[in-house]
Amino acid sequence: MRSLIRQVTRKSRGGVAVRDEIAEGDIIIAGRGNDCAIRLPDPRVMLHHAEFTMRSGELYVSAAAGADLRINDNLAQIGKLETGSKVRIGPYEIEVQPPESDFDFVVAVELVQALGDDLEKLVARSQIHITRIGLTMRWWVWLLAGAIITGTFLVPFVFNLLVGPPPDKMALSAGKMNYTPSPTSIWTSGSISSAHKFFADSCETCHAAPFVPVQDNACLSCHSAVQNHAQPALFPFADLNKYACQNCHKEHQGNVTIVRSDEAFCADCHKDLGSMSTRTTLDRASDFGKQHPEFRPTVVKDSALHTMDRSRTLNENPPPQENSGLKFPHDKHLRREGVKDPVRGVVNLDCADCHTPNETGETMRAVSFERNCHGCHALKFDSFVPNRELTHGKPEEVFKQVYDVYDALAMRGGYDEPAAPALVRRRPGTPLTPVEKALVTNWAAAKASDVLNGYFGRGLCAECHNILETKGATATNEFGEPTAAPEATSVAAKAGVPVLPAEKTWTVEPPTLTELWMPKAYFTHARHTDVKCTECHAAKTSTSASDVLLPSIAICQSCHGGEKSADRVPSTCVDCHRFHRRDLDPMHPEKAAAHKAADAGVALPQKHPHVAQSAPLPRWETP
Amino acid sequence: MHESILVYRKHRYLKWALALAVVSALFYMIDSPLGQPNGGTWLGYTLGTISGGLMVWLAWFGVRKRRYGLGNVPLEDWLSAHVYLGIALALIATLHAGFQLGFNIHSALYILMMITIISGLVGLYFYISYPRLLTENRRGLSTEVMLAQIAELDRDLRQIAMTMDDATNAATLKATQDTIIGGSLMQQLRGHDEHCPTTQARLFVEGSDGGPQDAQRRQLLTRLIRKEDLLKRIRRDVQLRCLLKVWLYVHIPFSIAALAALVTHVVTVFYYW
């Protein structure tokens, strides 16, 4: 089968263009596909839309499955064609033309309905492309970016210049509690620490100049009294004046304290301080659980001279000795059978009977004779004068008191001791001659000497105190006058009776009680009340007051570990030690002095942040 | 194409990004700064500089891709690196912030940046998944062809219904004249029209009894079903193409907003040093 296919194109300005194509084959296919003999390039046409065939000399057209045809404007699936027949395939019209020689049939193909109104209308009412969402992309970009720059930068910046707090309102100073918030406070890089929160929104309080890091002056305007860590002259590498406050105290870290507590900070030097300084006496310390020296208590070396010693650690042999001038065997007082109390009978003493915490619960109140000892240890010295007791704590007065007691007894008479002379034992009130008076006063002096140097004097004191020998010295009172009954001396001298020398051969060593054995560390009993005293303090086996009953570090370490400890209470250096040592001078003495001078002239308001700092601080004795 | 972005040059840019992220994370873990990790330590400043540089560079992609054919590095390299380094930025910036968030402009920058990155990831997912779905859905037809076929069906439908009863003719006319494809953003994204007049006409014709016109009714029904199928596909097509672009309406404005916030962040951080 040989066919001629005429592609007809009508030009817009009139006229027709015709292009002839020759197709051969038993079946002539019309469709969109490139392989079709009759090519109908339009989307409405199927790939293989229709087939033209010759059957017994007749031309037939048939639609492919699912395709539609119109033959002479009638919908049809198949149909016979004659010259003049018009087949519509989608927008194309195929007209059968009169036969020509050499061709079985001739058809003219023309696009008669370009994609028409239906498509245009469908496209017009449909929106199938995302062109804009409300605004164009560019507008969204400008809007969002503009809002960010304006809202977060320009507005706060301009407001800060125009209506921000004036400079004099920003200055930070001790005692000032009202600060004007800055509009720029939304620029904060994080919450201010709890202590500084009250001026947190007033940026210029600390940030005095733009693009300049915060200067120490901002901190020192309140914290001028903060002390050094070590003496700068001896340990120049630890001179804090070389560093800015904010090297260590980082603000804007949240509502927390800005005091450093990390172990590594201290360990940086203290893990091997010896390599940094030959002057240090401190051992290596980097972690409380793993590397920390044994405790080295500051003990009394000589109670009389008030000298202290910090040379021995608790685990040394011999261990450090507390030479307090006192004798006190803890074991005897705590023994299981109890001790004899003159009033209550046998009692079992407990630690708390003598050791009571002070107001803060931090340390124990100093033990005192009157409160803790006197109940059992009354200072009675003569069973014939059972109501008299020696005055505790004033050895000079004691000498005078004892002389006075016996002098009065001798003058009055009636002292029933068998060994006493008859004059003294006489009926009370019997008058004495001057010579007799001299004799009895001499007796009184001798008796007082006997008592004071005997068991009820020296012996009684020596039960608890160290006795210092003062042989040859004349006992004197607090004014340096002789105490040995001066009137007796003069009376005896007048009567021609030889005067017995009132010789004071001993005195009590002034005791020294240690308040803190480890003054460079902080410990509070208040947070350890659930622990029994004896779990830390080996008092039950202590036989001597010179025993330092501090627990060894091993006992602390049984509960406390280093900062990163997993099986102990994580404890870091500053849990026990202060970095800015209160026993040292301020880091900035001139600022501290100026501050103090200013404070002196100004009545402080109620809520004064400086009060806590200006309160007298304990200054530990450094040995 | 979509695979080539991710596996481009044997994952060269994935390796770069991984190296950058791993090195940053290692330094972060090793570093033990004073207090909480934050942007103000030496590592914080370093990570911040890297993050800021990355943000500017990532945004420059918008400029670079408009200069197709210019530059020595092919755009595929840019896109592949844009994707991987953008993901790495999420980690590096988080490390720079020390995992801290607050109510301030610095956190605002972080949130804007994260929205940009997440929208980019969503876009990446779309670009990976949807071209295949689009092709499958089109079954070789372009959107324009589908529209044209619908228009053609509309013409046939009208012609067939012309000689039928008034009700069928009216339903068919409505189906040909009121059927909308796409529409508003939400309609495009929905991907179907529950009030589609074509579906309503099909239901009507299905439920009606053609009687003597049953052959016409069947012809009508066949075409309505074909139109419905075409509509379903073209609406899905519109939905997918819309999704392929809609994420950019988040990605681009937020990226520029993040750049604006970056300027504020850097200036204010040093203003109040």
Side-chain angles (χ1 to χ4, degrees):
Chain A
M1 192 170 70
R2 187 174 155 86
S3 57
L4 181 64
I5 293 145
R6 288 211 162 106
Q7 297 277 3
V8 179
T9 313
R10 285 180 201 279
K11 293 180 176 172
S12 54
R13 283 180 291 171
V16 177
V18 177
R19 185 162 45 90
D20 284 352
E21 287 169 3
I22 297 164
E24 289 187 51
D26 291 337
I27 301 168
I28 303 293
I29 300 174
R32 178 160 51 86
N34 286 333
D35 54 342
C36 295
I38 303 175
R39 243 197 111 219
L40 309 173
D42 188 278
R44 290 161 287 184
V45 179
M46 287 180 67
L47 213 55
H48 295 164
H49 204 112
E51 292 174 0
F52 290 83
T53 48
M54 297 288 286
R55 269 182 252 160
S56 48
E58 303 283 359
L59 180 63
Y60 284 87
V61 63
S62 59
D68 281 328
L69 285 179
R70 280 195 188 78
I71 301 172
N72 297 329
D73 276 345
N74 293 316
L75 277 167
Q77 285 294 313
I78 186 163
K80 194 172 83 173
L81 303 176
E82 293 160 356
T83 301
S85 291
K86 289 176 179 174
V87 180
R88 278 292 291 274
I89 296 178
Y92 290 91
E93 189 175 79
I94 301 173
E95 189 183 356
V96 180
Q97 297 200 330
E100 292 182 21
S101 57
D102 296 341
F103 295 105
D104 293 313
F105 70 90
V106 180
V107 288
V109 179
E110 186 183 352
L111 179 68
V112 292
Q113 192 182 33
L115 281 181
D117 289 340
D118 274 314
L119 182 57
E120 277 172 27
K121 284 176 188 166
L122 179 64
V123 170
R125 65 177 180 262
S126 301
Q127 171 56 269
I128 61 167
H129 296 290
I130 176 172
T131 49
R132 55 168 64 180
I133 297 172
L135 304 169
T136 62
M137 180 81 84
R138 199 161 287 239
W139 267 104
W140 280 118
V141 166
W142 282 114
L143 199 69
L144 210 54
I148 292 288
I149 283 282
T150 311
T152 64
F153 184 75
L154 291 178
V155 170
F157 181 73
V158 171
F159 266 76
N160 206 41
L161 291 183
L162 297 179
V163 297
D168 60 320
K169 295 264 172 144
M170 294 169 192
L172 186 62
S173 67
K176 185 169 177 294
M177 294 302 289
N178 300 317
Y179 291 89
T180 318
S182 312
T184 43
S185 61
I186 61 158
W187 294 354
T188 181
S189 64
S191 297
I192 292 280
S193 66
S194 48
H196 297 152
K197 246 187 154 37
F198 66 97
F199 59 86
D201 288 339
S202 187
C203 311
E204 277 78 7
T205 303
C206 298
H207 299 277
F211 302 107
V212 175
V214 171
Q215 303 294 297
D216 281 1
N217 274 339
C219 313
L220 294 171
S221 56
C222 287
H223 303 283
S224 61
V226 172
Q227 302 92 340
N228 273 308
H229 176 62
Q231 292 181 44
L234 299 181
F235 304 99
F237 58 90
D239 183 359
L240 300 182
N241 278 309
K242 290 178 186 168
Y243 306 97
C245 300
Q246 65 158 335
N247 282 141
C248 296
H249 300 284
K250 293 283 183 196
E251 256 304 353
H252 296 285
Q253 299 271 316
N255 190 10
V256 291
T257 172
I258 56 168
V259 173
R260 290 197 70 163
S261 63
D262 53 318
E263 207 172 70
F265 175 65
C266 305
D268 195 30
C269 291
H270 283 270
K271 67 183 174 212
D272 190 11
L273 201 56
S275 70
M276 303 177 75
S277 169
T278 51
R279 313 190 76 127
T280 186
T281 57
L282 299 179
D283 287 329
R284 293 176 179 190
S286 60
D287 180 281
F288 185 72
K290 293 173 187 158
Q291 190 188 44
H292 190 289
E294 176 58 276
F295 298 143
R296 194 147 45 121
T298 304
V299 293
V300 182
K301 188 178 180 185
D302 189 311
S303 176
L305 300 173
H306 279 285
T307 53
M308 312 296 275
D309 177 44
R310 203 171 76 90
S311 59
R312 284 213 291 271
T313 57
L314 284 175
N315 56 357
E316 263 177 73
N317 197 14
Q321 281 209 328
E322 172 86 340
N323 297 314
S324 61
L326 288 173
K327 297 169 187 168
F328 183 83
H330 272 93
D331 59 340
K332 283 187 180 166
H333 287 80
L334 292 171
R335 63 186 179 183
R336 195 173 296 167
E337 310 87 76
V339 293
K340 222 192 242 172
D341 182 289
V343 180
R344 295 183 288 165
V346 174
V347 291
N348 280 97
L349 286 180
D350 187 51
C351 306
D353 287 329
C354 298
H355 300 286
T356 51
N358 63 10
E359 295 79 357
T360 60
E362 196 176 311
T363 55
M364 293 293 158
R365 294 166 79 181
V367 169
S368 89
F369 172 81
E370 288 76 14
R371 202 167 47 235
N372 306 114
C373 311
H374 180 253
C376 298
H377 298 275
L379 300 183
K380 294 178 178 173
F381 59 92
D382 191 331
S383 57
F384 293 95
V385 276
N387 296 328
R388 294 303 299 258
E389 286 185 37
L390 302 179
T391 302
H392 183 262
K394 293 175 178 166
E396 301 303 340
E397 271 183 36
V398 164
F399 277 79
K400 188 168 185 307
Q401 278 171 3
V402 174
Y403 274 112
D404 285 350
V405 166
Y406 286 111
D407 192 48
L409 280 170
M411 288 298 171
R412 195 191 63 182
Y415 181 70
D416 278 344
E417 194 201 44
L423 267 177
V424 180
R425 288 166 43 222
R426 75 187 190 282
R427 193 158 57 90
T430 316
L432 293 172
T433 64
V435 175
E436 285 171 337
K437 275 186 184 171
L439 286 172
V440 297
T441 41
N442 258 349
W443 170 82
K447 176 68 182 174
S449 280
D450 275 355
V451 167
L452 286 168
N453 292 318
Y455 179 74
F456 288 105
R458 178 186 175 121
L460 195 62
C461 296
E463 250 183 69
C464 301
H465 288 276
N466 281 351
I467 299 300
L468 294 177
E469 300 299 336
T470 57
K471 199 167 175 66
T474 304
T476 53
N477 64 14
E478 58 204 292
F479 306 108
E481 297 160 346
T483 52
E487 60 276 26
T489 312
S490 60
V491 170
K494 281 179 194 163
V497 177
V499 179
L500 288 169
E503 197 179 37
K504 185 189 168 195
T505 60
W506 60 275
T507 187
V508 171
E509 183 180 86
T512 304
L513 291 177
T514 302
E515 194 187 344
L516 287 169
W517 271 306
M518 294 195 286
K520 289 182 180 173
Y522 169 80
F523 172 86
T524 178
H525 282 95
R527 298 178 72 174
H528 293 84
T529 48
D530 292 335
V531 184
K532 277 187 188 169
C533 309
T534 49
E535 282 184 39
C536 300
H537 302 286
K540 283 189 171 171
T541 54
S542 165
T543 57
S544 164
S546 65
D547 292 345
V548 178
L549 296 184
L550 274 183
S552 151
I553 189 169
I555 290 185
C556 300
Q557 284 166 337
S558 64
C559 291
H560 292 270
E563 183 184 63
K564 294 187 175 69
S565 175
D567 56 350
R568 299 280 191 280
V569 181
S571 307
T572 181
C573 311
V574 294
D575 285 340
C576 300
H577 300 284
R578 274 182 66 95
F579 180 81
H580 294 287
R581 280 168 52 194
R582 296 182 176 193
D583 55 318
L584 294 183
D585 290 328
M587 292 161 58
H588 301 275
E590 69 297 341
K591 291 266 181 197
H595 208 146
K596 217 170 181 179
D599 275 358
V602 180
L604 298 178
Q606 280 294 303
K607 284 181 183 173
H608 193 300
H610 193 59
V611 167
Q613 297 243 341
S614 59
L617 305 172
R619 289 176 71 90
W620 316 126
E621 294 294 329
T622 12
Chain B
M1 153 75 177
H2 60 265
E3 270 191 346
S4 72
I5 297 171
L6 295 182
V7 303
Y8 191 71
R9 291 199 198 279
K10 294 180 182 172
H11 301 288
R12 175 194 286 181
Y13 299 103
L14 170 64
K15 288 171 191 164
W16 286 16
L18 262 180
L20 189 61
V22 167
V23 168
S24 304
L26 274 179
F27 271 103
Y28 185 87
M29 282 188 274
I30 293 166
D31 186 43
S32 53
L34 180 50
Q36 292 174 290
N38 64 80
T41 64
W42 71 266
L43 182 62
Y45 282 131
T46 309
L47 293 175
T49 309
I50 293 172
S51 302
L54 272 179
M55 280 181 68
V56 173
W57 180 83
L58 288 165
W60 188 254
F61 179 73
V63 178
R64 174 61 184 81
K65 76 169 192 170
R66 283 170 176 77
R67 299 180 179 175
Y68 198 84
L70 297 173
N72 297 324
V73 181
L75 196 62
E76 287 89 338
D77 285 80
W78 274 82
L79 182 56
S80 186
H82 181 86
V83 167
Y84 284 121
L85 291 174
I87 296 168
L89 171 65
L91 175 81
I92 298 168
T94 306
L95 298 179
H96 166 64
F99 295 92
Q100 294 183 49
L101 268 185
F103 188 74
N104 54 50
I105 55 154
H106 316 289
S107 295
L109 162 60
Y110 182 79
I111 291 165
L112 290 170
M113 186 202 73
M114 289 308 281
I115 289 173
T116 309
I117 293 173
I118 289 166
S119 64
L121 286 173
V122 170
L124 178 67
Y125 172 76
F126 289 173
Y127 265 62
I128 289 172
S129 332
Y130 290 174
R132 191 176 52 82
L133 295 180
L134 267 173
T135 312
E136 283 175 7
N137 179 59
R138 281 176 179 166
R139 289 180 225 156
L141 300 178
S142 71
T143 314
E144 287 69 30
V145 170
M146 284 193 275
L147 282 171
Q149 289 187 353
I150 288 170
E152 194 66 18
L153 280 168
D154 281 346
R155 206 168 63 84
D156 293 354
L157 286 169
R158 275 207 307 277
Q159 191 179 346
I160 295 166
M162 193 72 78
T163 55
M164 295 182 72
D165 61 280
D166 282 348
T168 306
N169 189 48
T172 309
L173 195 65
K174 192 167 159 46
T176 60
Q177 290 188 329
D178 295 350
T179 299
I180 298 172
I181 298 161
S184 70
L185 178 69
M186 287 318 292
Q187 283 170 324
Q188 289 192 27
L189 287 177
R190 204 175 289 133
H192 66 274
D193 182 358
E194 52 267 44
H195 305 297
C196 179
T198 303
T199 306
Q200 286 168 351
R202 194 255 302 161
L203 290 171
F204 178 82
V205 174
E206 264 180 355
S208 69
D209 179 9
Q213 289 185 316
D214 197 48
Q216 273 171 287
R217 192 187 73 93
R218 278 207 305 277
Q219 281 186 343
L220 199 63
L221 191 57
T222 314
R223 284 165 182 77
L224 280 170
I225 289 168
R226 265 172 63 197
K227 188 184 170 192
E228 250 192 309
D229 177 57
L230 279 169
L231 283 172
K232 191 178 150 198
R233 276 155 62 192
I234 198 167
R235 284 186 178 129
R236 174 73 172 145
D237 188 68
V238 167
Q239 180 192 32
L240 291 173
R241 283 189 297 113
C242 185
L243 283 169
L244 273 177
K245 287 198 172 162
V246 74
W247 65 276
L248 282 169
Y249 277 82
V250 179
H251 192 66
I252 293 173
F254 274 87
S255 68
I256 306 296
L259 281 183
L262 176 66
V263 173
T264 308
H265 167 67
V266 172
V267 171
T268 56
V269 154
F270 291 104
Y271 188 89
Y272 287 144
W273 204 349

